[in-house]
C-alpha cells in the first residue's frame, strides 16, 4: 500500500516539475532485463531531456494531456466549471472520447481514476503519461523506438472504443493514431512488390479513418465497404479484430477484405505486408487483434457497389413479462435466422426482458421480447421482404397468438441512406463489461427448449443482441494470401450474440457482481455452442480460456509470430496474443 502512495506522490511531483528535474540514468541495452516496465519517478523512467528530444524529433507532437475529467475537480490544475459541464454532457457520447488523446469509452479501463464528477477522486493514475499525436508513419516509428529503447509501456489509441480496454494504460507512452488520415480509391489494385493484379475496386485509408467518413466518401462513388455499425469506430481496431458488418453475411468479415497493410513493427521498422511479403504479419494482423503485431499506419481493402436496401423493423413482444412463452417465440424466430440468412437477410436484433414498449402511441408499460432491424440487399421492393417473412410470422401468430407483432418496411437507395437511420446510437461512458458468443446453425436450430432458456438467461444481464452478421459470405470468404487469423468459428457462425452489464464505479463488490452476472447470462449460450467462441472486439476480457475462445486453433501460430516480431514485448495488452510473459501489478507491468 505504502509504495503505491509513494508512486502517486512521485507522479504528481514529476508532472509538476517535468522539465526541472535532473536527468536520471536511463536503462542501457546491455544491462540485465528489467523486471518491470519503467514508471515515472523511478530512475529507469526517461529523463525530461529524453522526452524533450522525442518531442523535438516529432516536430512538437508530444502531448502530456491531463485526464479529461480533471476539469471537474477543484484540486486539479485544469479545473474549470464551465468546461466540466461540457465534459459531463459529452461523456456519454462516442464523439467526446474519440476526440480526446487519452479518453476511453468504458471507465473501468482507466481505473475510474478521474471521472467527471467532483465527488470522485481524480489522478493521472489510469491514463498514459505522454501521447504522440501521430500524423505520419515516421511519428509512429519514433514512438515505438522510444518506448523500446527506454523500456516504457506502449499503448495505441485510435478512438478508445475498445470494449476490452486495450487502448489505454497507466504509466505509458501512447501513440494516438486518430489523425492518421487519408482516403485514396483504386479501380484495381497491385500489392507492393507483388506480381499480381487484383481486379477489384479498393481503397487505401489511414489507420485513423472512421466508418462514417469512409461510407460518406465512397457513397459519392456509389461504393461502400464491409464496415461497422458505430459511426466513429476506426479501421485500426475494427480490421485487426475481425470486423462484422451488415454486409459481412454477403462478402465476409472486414479483415477478409484487406489487400495490404502498412505498419510499424514492434522493432520500429515501417513495413508493407501483403500476400507476397511479410506474409506472416499479413496473416496475423487480419484478425489477430490490435496493438499486438505492430501499429498499422494504413490499410488497403476491397470496396463494393453500394447496395439498395429494404429494411424490416420488426417488433415481437408481450406485455406479460412473467410469461416464459415469449422466449419460446424468440428461440423459434432465431432458429429461422440460418435459412433467412441463406436467403440474403442480414441485420441486428435485440432481446430484452423488459423495456418500455417501443411501439409508443397507445401502447403502454413494459414489454419482453425482441426487436430487429434486418435488410435485404439489391432491392427496394417491400414484397420481397414480406414474402420472406410470411411463413415465419404466420407460425408466430398461430403458435403465440397473445404476442404483439409489428412490422414496418422501408426502402433505402444506398447503404449510406440506410446507415444514417440505423447506425449504432447507444450511449457510452459507464463502467461496462460485455460478453459475446458466436452461434452456429446447430446452436440456433438444434434444441429450442435449450435455446429459449439460453436467450432468456442472456437477456437477464441487460439488453442482449443476436446479430445476423455472419453466414454464407463469411463461410465462403477468400482472404488474400490463402487465409487470415480470424477465429475459425466465424466461418460456421450465423449469429453473434452479446450482452452488456453496467456497474457502479469504484466499488469492487459491484464490479464482481457485474462479472458474475455476465458469466451467469452467457453460461447457457456457451453450453449451447461449446465449440464456437467469442468475438474478441466485443467480448469479456476475462473470458475463461480467452486465447482459444478468441482465436481457436490459430492461437499457437499467432504466438509464434508474436514472439518472432516482438521478442521484447514492446507491445503488450490484455487480452492479447502472447501476453502471458507479463502481468499487471497495480499500475505497473512486470515480467511473470
Ligand atoms: C458504438 C460501437 C459500435 C460498434 N460496431 C461494431 C460493428 O458493427 N462491428 C464490429 O466488428 N465491431 C463493432 N464495434 C467494436 C469495434 O470493432 C471495437 O470497439 C474496436 O476495437 C474499435 O476500434 P478503434 O480503432 O475504433 O478503437 P480503439 O479503442 O482505439 O482501438 C481498439 C484496439 O485496436 C488497437 N488499434 C487501434 N488502431 C490501431 C492501429 N492503427 N494499429 C494497431 N492497433 C490499433 C488499439 O490499440 C486497441 O487494441 C463497435 C464498437 C462500438 C463502441
Ligand atoms: C512539445 O513541443 C511543443 C512545441 O514545441 C510544445 O508546445 C509542447 O508543450 C511540447 N510537449 C511537451 C509534452 O512538452
Ligand atoms: C493532433 O494533431 C491534429 C492534426 O495535426 C490537430 O488537428 C490536433 O489539434 C492535435 N491535437 C492535439 C490535442 O494537439
Ligand atoms: C475485372 O472484373 C470486371 C468485373 O468483374 C470484368 O468485367 C473484367 O473483365 C475484369 N478484368 C480483368 C482484366 O480480368
Ligand atoms: C451513382 O449512381 C447514380 C444513380 O444510378 C448515377 O446517376 C451516378 O452517375 C453514379 N455516380 C457515379 C460516380 O458512378
Ligand atoms: C402471464 O403469464 C403467466 C405465465 O404464463 C400466466 O400465469 C398469467 O396468467 C399471464 N398474465 C396475463 C395477464 O395474461
Ligand atoms: C416506419 O419506419 C420509417 C423509417 O424508419 C419511419 O419514418 C416511420 O415513421 C415508420 N412508420 C411507422 C408506422 O412506424
Ligand atoms: C433440450 O434441452 C432441454 C433443456 O436444456 C433438455 O432438458 C432436453 O433433454 C434437451 N432435449 C434433447 C432432445 O436433447
Ligand atoms: C450509466 O450512465 C448513465 C448515464 O450517465 C447513468 O444514469 C447510470 O446511472 C449509469 N449506470 C451505472 C450503473 O452507473
Ligand atoms: C457497492 O455495490 C454493492 C453491490 O451492488 C452495494 O450493495 C453497495 O452498497 C455499494 N457500495 C457503495 C459504497 O456504494
Ligand atoms: C461461470 O458460471 C459457471 C456456472 O454457471 C461456473 O461454473 C463458473 O465457475 C463461473 N465462472 C466464473 C469466472 O465466475
Ligand atoms: C486502480 O486504482 C486503485 C486505487 O483506487 C489502485 O489500488 C489500483 O492499483 C489501480 N489499478 C491499476 C491497474 O492501476
Amino acid at each position: 500500500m505504502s509504495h503505491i502512495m509513494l508512486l502517486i506522490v512521485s507522479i504528481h511531483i514529476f508532472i509538476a516539475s517535468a522539465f526541472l528535474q535532473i536527468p536520471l540514468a536511463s536503462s542501457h541495452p546491455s544491462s540485465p532485463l528489467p523486471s518491470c516496465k519503467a514508471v515515472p519517478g523511478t530512475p529507469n523512467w526517461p529523463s525530461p531531456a529524453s522526452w524533450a528530444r522525442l518531442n523535438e524529433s516529432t516536430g512538437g507532437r508530444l502531448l502530456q494531456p491531463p485526464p479529461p475529467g480533471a476539469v471537474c475537480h477543484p484540486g486539479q490544475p485544469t479545473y474549470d466549471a464551465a468546461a466540466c459541464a461540457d465534459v459531463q454532457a459529452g461523456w456519454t457520447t462516442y464523439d467526446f472520447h474519440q476526440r480526446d488523446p487519452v479518453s476511453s469509452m468504458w471507465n473501468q479501463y482507466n481505473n475510474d481514476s478521474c471521472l467527471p464528477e467532483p465527488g470522485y477522486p481524480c489522478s493521472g493514475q489510469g491514463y498514459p503519461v505522454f501521447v504522440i499525436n501521430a500524423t505520419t508513419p515516421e511519428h509512429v516509428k519514433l514512438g515505438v523506438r522510444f518506448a523500446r529503447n527506454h523500456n516504457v509501456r506502449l499503448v495505441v489509441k485510435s478512438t478508445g472504443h475498445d470494449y476490452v480496454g486495450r487502448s489505454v494504460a497507466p504509466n505509458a507512452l501512447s501513440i494516438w493514431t486518430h489523425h492518421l488520415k487519408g482516403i485514396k480509391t483504386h479501380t484495381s489494385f497491385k500489392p507492393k512488390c507483388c506480381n499480381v493484379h487484383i481486379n477489384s475496386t479498393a481503397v487505401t485509408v489511414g489507420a485513423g479513418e472512421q466508418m462514417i467518413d469512409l461510407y460518406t466518401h465512397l457513397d459519392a462513388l456509389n461504393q461502400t465497404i464491409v464496415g461497422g455499425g458505430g459511426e466513429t469506430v476506426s479501421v485500426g481496431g475494427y480490421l485487426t479484430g475481425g470486423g462484422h458488418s451488415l454486409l459481412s453475411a454477403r462478402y465476409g468479415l472486414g479483415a477478409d477484405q484487406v489487400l495490404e497493410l502498412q505498419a510499424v513493427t514492434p522493432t520500429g521498422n515501417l513495413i508493407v505486408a501483403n500476400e507476397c511479403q511479410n506474409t506472416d504479419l499479413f496473416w496475423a494482423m487480419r484478425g489477430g487483434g490490435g496493438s499486438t503485431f505492430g501499429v498499422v499506419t494504413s490499410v488497403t481493402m476491397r470496396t463494393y457497389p453500394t447496395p439498395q436496401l429494404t429494411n424490416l423493423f420488426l417488433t415481437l413482444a408481450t406485455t406479460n413479462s412473467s410469461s416464459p412463452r415469449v422466449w419460446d417465440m424468440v428461440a423459434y424466430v432465431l432458429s429461422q435466422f440460418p435459412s433467412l440468412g441463406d436467403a440474403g437477410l442480414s441485420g441486428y436484433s435485440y432481446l430484452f426482458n423488459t423495456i418500455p414498449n417501443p411501439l409508443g402511441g397507445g401502447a403502454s408499460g413494459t414489454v419482453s421480447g425482441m426487436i430487429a432491424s434486418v435488410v435485404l440487399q439489391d432491392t427496394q421492393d417491400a414484397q420481397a421482404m414480406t414474402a420472406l417473412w410470411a411463413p415465419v410470422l404466420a407460425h408466430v401468430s398461430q403458435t403465440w397468438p397473445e404476442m404483439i407483432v409489428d412490422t414496418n418496411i422501408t426502402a433505402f437507395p444506398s447503404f449510406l441512406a440506410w446507415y444514417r437511420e440505423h447506425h449504432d446510437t447507444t450511449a457510452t461512458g459507464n463502467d461496462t463489461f460485455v460478453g459475446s458468443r458466436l452461434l452456429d446453425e446447430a446452436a440456433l436450430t438444434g434444441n429450442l427448449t435449450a435455446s429459449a432458456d439460453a436467450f432468456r438467461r442472456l437477456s437477464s444481464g441487460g439488453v442482449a443482441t443476436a446479430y445476423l452478421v455472419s453466414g454464407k459470405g463469411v463461410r465462403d470468404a477468400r482472404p488474400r494470401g490463402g487465409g487470415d487469423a480470424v477465429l475459425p468459428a466465424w466461418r460456421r457462425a450465423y449469429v453473434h450474440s452479446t450482452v452488456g452489464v453496467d456497474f457502479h464505479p469504484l466499488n469492487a463488490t459491484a464490479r464482481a457482481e457485474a462479472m458474475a452476472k455476465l458469466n451467469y447470462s452467457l453460461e447457457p449460450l456457451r453450453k449451447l455452442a461449446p465449440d464456437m467462441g467469442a468475438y474478441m472486439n466485443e467480448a469479456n476480457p476475462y473470458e475463461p480460456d480467452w486465447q482459444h475462445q478468441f482465436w481457436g486453433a490459430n492461437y499457437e501460430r499467432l504466438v509464434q509470430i508474436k514472439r518472432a516480431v516482438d521478442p521484447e514485448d514492446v507491445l503488450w495488452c490484455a487480452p492479447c496474443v502472447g501476453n502471458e510473459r507479463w502481468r499487471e501489478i497495480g499500475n505497473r507491468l512486470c515480467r511473470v
Side-chain angles (χ1 to χ4, degrees), residues 28-39:
H28 294 285
S30 57
S31 54
L33 287 177
S35 58
C36 299
K37 301 266 181 179
V39 295

Side-chain angles (χ1 to χ4, degrees), residues 408 410 412 421-422:
N408 179 0
T410 315
F412 295 91
E421 284 191 28
H422 293 94

Side-chain angles (χ1 to χ4, degrees), residues 339-411:
S339 58
L340 293 169
D342 289 346
L345 193 81
S346 64
Y348 303 95
S349 77
Y350 302 87
L351 318 180
F352 41 83
N353 255 333
T354 50
I355 57 159
N357 192 324
L359 299 176
S364 62
T366 58
V367 294
S368 309
M370 71 186 280
I371 57 175
S373 202
V374 285
V375 305
L376 286 173
Q377 297 174 40
D378 295 341
T379 178
Q380 296 194 76
D381 179 8
Q383 195 45 47
M385 187 66 92
T386 306
L388 185 63
W389 278 89
V392 178
L393 296 183
H395 181 79
V396 168
S397 300
Q398 276 156 24
T399 316
W400 299 280
E402 76 274 26
M403 296 295 158
I404 301 162
V405 178
D406 186 75
T407 60
N408 179 0
I409 300 180
T410 315

Side-chain angles (χ1 to χ4, degrees), residues 102-124:
V102 290
S103 207
S104 63
M105 308 273 173
W106 319 105
N107 300 327
Q108 75 274 19
Y109 296 126
N110 56 57
N111 201 14
D112 298 324
S113 56
C114 189
L115 299 174
E117 299 289 343
Y120 289 127
C122 175
S123 76

Side-chain angles (χ1 to χ4, degrees), residues 77-343:
T78 53
Y79 174 66
D80 176 342
C84 172
D86 292 343
V87 170
Q88 286 174 335
W91 202 261
T92 57
T93 68
Y94 295 103
D95 200 50
F96 172 82
H97 300 281
Q98 57 112 11
R99 280 174 202 282
D100 186 274
V102 290
S103 207
S104 63
M105 308 273 173
W106 319 105
N107 300 327
Q108 75 274 19
Y109 296 126
N110 56 57
N111 201 14
D112 298 324
S113 56
C114 189
L115 299 174
E117 299 289 343
Y120 289 127
C122 175
S123 76
Q125 285 292 288
Y127 293 94
V129 183
F130 288 101
V131 174
I132 294 180
N133 184 4
T135 55
T136 66
E138 186 60 26
H139 298 148
V140 175
K141 251 167 82 169
L142 288 163
V144 171
R145 288 184 175 185
F146 185 91
R148 180 176 179 232
N149 291 340
H150 292 91
N151 184 40
V152 167
R153 185 169 182 182
L154 181 66
V155 293
V156 180
K157 176 186 166 171
S158 180
T159 65
H161 279 74
D162 201 27
Y163 284 110
V164 292
R166 296 165 295 175
S167 38
V168 62
N171 296 327
L173 168 63
S174 176
I175 298 178
W176 190 26
T177 58
H178 182 55
H179 293 285
L180 288 171
K181 298 289 191 189
I183 303 176
K184 183 174 185 288
T185 54
H186 314 278
T187 50
S188 67
F189 187 72
K190 187 181 172 303
K192 198 174 174 204
C193 303
C194 208
N195 195 19
V196 293
H197 188 86
I198 301 172
N199 184 20
S200 163
T201 55
V203 64
T204 301
V205 307
E209 286 289 353
Q210 292 165 286
M211 296 302 159
I212 185 62
D213 299 321
L214 294 176
Y215 294 148
T216 304
H217 185 102
L218 290 168
D219 187 71
L221 306 170
N222 292 335
Q223 292 178 27
T224 194
I225 50 163
V226 173
E231 289 192 314
T232 48
V233 165
S234 95
V235 297
Y238 177 83
L239 295 177
T240 51
H244 64 75
S245 167
L246 188 72
L247 303 189
S248 49
R250 180 175 186 182
Y251 295 122
L253 296 172
D256 301 334
Q257 316 307 321
V258 173
L259 308 179
E260 183 165 283
L261 290 153
Q262 189 193 56
V264 174
T265 63
T267 48
N269 298 310
L270 183 64
I271 59 104
V272 168
N274 59 37
E275 64 200 71
C276 298
Q277 56 179 326
N278 295 303
T279 52
D280 276 351
L281 270 179
F282 185 51
W283 180 80
M285 291 181 108
R286 292 174 298 161
S291 48
T292 303
F293 301 95
V295 184
V296 179
T297 50
S298 73
V299 53
T300 304
M301 60 189 141
R302 283 183 199 280
T303 67
Y304 294 97
T306 191
Q308 300 179 339
L309 295 167
T310 297
N311 186 82
L312 167 67
F313 187 77
L314 177 67
T315 304
L316 294 167
T318 174
T319 51
N320 185 354
S321 294
S322 58
S323 168
R325 287 166 55 83
V326 69
W327 299 106
D328 297 334
M329 178 198 64
V330 166
Y332 163 72
V333 174
L334 293 178
S335 77
Q336 302 305 300
F337 271 24
S339 58
L340 293 169
D342 289 346

Side-chain angles (χ1 to χ4, degrees), residues 457 515-516 519-520 523 526-527 542 544:
R457 276 272 285 272
M515 197 50 87
N519 183 43
Y520 173 84
E523 192 58 24
R526 287 199 193 97
K527 289 213 176 83
Y542 302 102

